[in-house]
């Protein structure tokens, strides 16, 4: 790793964050869709959905909404990376004594900062809608850790289409299946209510274990194996996405 890596990453991170500060609509847009979903599910469908719990429906479905927020947010990471690639700025950086990996890490850290802001906004709206949790500091930190890992995993996944897409729409379109995935999980309804094949898929895909772990932490219930399965999915996806993203980047700039 270049001795200038951290300094170069800091400079490029500052550049990306200034772009976001000048265009806060990206964060607003990222938060609007999950907030709209939360409003619709709680106030339109919530009364008809039976979760088997005495807690309010906003408490039940918030973990899934938080994951959708992240999936929506990383689409902008792919778009910003694609835009930088098309503008020729990568070539300019290569002609300068800049650590090559600093460009990718700046985009990753920008995604993390932007998504954390969006998650806070969504969480605040949920509080206004009646979300309440008796979780202690440790549980909240555990939730934050899971969400950070999930954000990093999806961000490195977003790097790949950002580098390989032919159009800006193609760069961000990869997030659509990720946004849809929580609907085939325990995020909005218990998996026990689903037909056999759908239930089998829902109970063995990553979103369900992540949602269940966050929900248990919020309600101070035993997390069981869900938290370890959730961490396994997040770390595994992060490592695989990181390897593919960095290999794609090396091929792109070589």
């Amino acid at each position: 790793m270049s001795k200038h890596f951290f300094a170069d990453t800091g400079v490029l991170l500052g550049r990306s964050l200034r772009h976001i500060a000048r265009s806060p609509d990206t964060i607003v847009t990222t938060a609007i869709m999950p907030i709209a979903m939360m409003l619709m599910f709680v106030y339109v469908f919530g009364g008809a959905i039976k979760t088997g719990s005495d807690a309010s429906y906003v408490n039940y479905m918030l973990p899934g909404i938080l994951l959708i927020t992240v999936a929506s947010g990383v689409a902008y990471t792919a778009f910003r990376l694609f835009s930088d690639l098309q503008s020729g700025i990568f070539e300019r950086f290569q002609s300068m004594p800049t650590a090559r990996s600093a460009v990718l890490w700046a985009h990753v850290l920008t995604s993390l900062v932007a998504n954390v802001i969006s998650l806070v906004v969504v969480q605040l709206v949920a509080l206004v809608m009646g979300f309440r949790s008796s979780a202690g500091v440790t549980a909240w930190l555990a939730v934050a850790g899971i969400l950070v890992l999930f954000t990093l995993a999806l961000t490195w996944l977003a790097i790949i289409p950002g580098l390989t897409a032919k159009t800006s729409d193609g760069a961000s379109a990869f997030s659509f299946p990720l946004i849809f995935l929580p609907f085939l999980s325990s995020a909005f309804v218990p998996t026990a209510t689903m037909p056999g094949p759908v239930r089998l898929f829902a109970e063995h895909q990553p979103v369900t274990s992540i949602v269940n772990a966050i929900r248990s932490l919020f309600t101070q219930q035993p997390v069981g194996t869900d938290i370890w399965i959730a961490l396994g999915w997040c770390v595994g996806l992060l490592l695989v996405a990181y390897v593919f993203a960095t290999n794609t980047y090396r091929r792109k700039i070589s």
Side-chain angles (χ1 to χ4, degrees):
M1 182 179 291
S2 169
K3 63 181 180 179
H4 302 297
F5 169 78
F6 293 106
D8 294 341
T9 301
V11 171
L12 295 174
L13 174 61
R15 164 185 171 270
S16 295
L17 292 178
R18 284 192 295 273
H19 287 174
I20 289 179
R22 293 173 189 147
S23 303
D25 56 301
T26 57
I27 293 178
V28 173
T29 303
T30 298
I32 280 178
M33 185 182 69
I35 288 173
M37 285 185 181
M38 190 160 55
L39 290 168
M40 180 178 65
F41 272 91
V42 171
Y43 295 124
V44 178
F45 302 135
I49 297 176
K50 305 301 180 183
T51 64
S53 170
D54 295 331
S56 65
Y57 187 59
V58 66
N59 279 32
Y60 184 88
M61 50 91 73
L62 179 61
I65 290 294
L66 294 177
L67 299 192
I68 288 175
T69 303
V70 174
S72 177
V74 297
Y76 286 99
T77 301
F79 174 77
R80 285 191 294 265
L81 185 59
F82 175 84
S83 298
D84 274 357
L85 199 62
Q86 296 303 305
S87 69
I89 198 169
F90 275 66
E91 287 76 8
R92 289 200 291 272
F93 286 146
Q94 288 182 57
S95 66
M96 301 166 63
T98 304
R100 291 189 174 187
S101 59
V103 179
L104 285 189
W105 276 104
H107 278 284
V108 169
L109 294 176
T110 300
S111 172
L112 185 59
V113 172
N115 276 290
V116 166
I117 295 172
S118 297
L119 287 168
V120 169
V121 171
V122 171
Q123 182 70 62
L124 290 174
V125 173
L127 286 170
V128 173
M129 294 173 61
F131 171 79
R132 296 294 182 269
S133 172
S134 57
V137 174
T138 302
W140 276 99
L141 289 175
V143 170
I146 292 172
L147 291 174
V148 166
L149 275 176
F150 185 72
T151 301
L152 288 173
L154 292 198
T155 297
W156 279 108
L157 190 63
I159 295 293
I160 301 170
L163 291 170
T164 58
K166 303 300 182 183
T167 65
S168 58
D169 290 338
S172 56
F174 90 101
S175 67
F176 295 155
L178 299 178
I179 294 171
F180 181 70
L181 200 57
F183 292 96
L184 294 175
S185 74
S186 63
F188 299 103
V189 296
T191 56
T193 64
M194 301 175 183
V198 178
R199 178 180 179 179
L200 183 65
F201 174 80
E203 291 180 346
H204 295 87
Q205 60 118 322
V207 170
T208 291
S209 58
I210 297 171
V211 163
N212 289 346
I214 293 176
R215 188 179 290 137
S216 296
L217 289 167
F218 275 152
T219 57
Q220 290 190 308
Q221 297 296 315
V223 293
T225 59
D226 280 323
I227 192 166
W228 301 113
I229 297 172
L231 290 174
W233 274 111
C234 289
V235 172
L237 179 59
L238 172 58
L239 292 175
V240 171
Y242 174 80
V243 170
F244 276 93
T246 51
N247 286 339
T248 302
Y249 179 61
R250 291 191 192 100
R251 290 196 300 269
K252 196 74 176 181
I253 67 175
S254 60

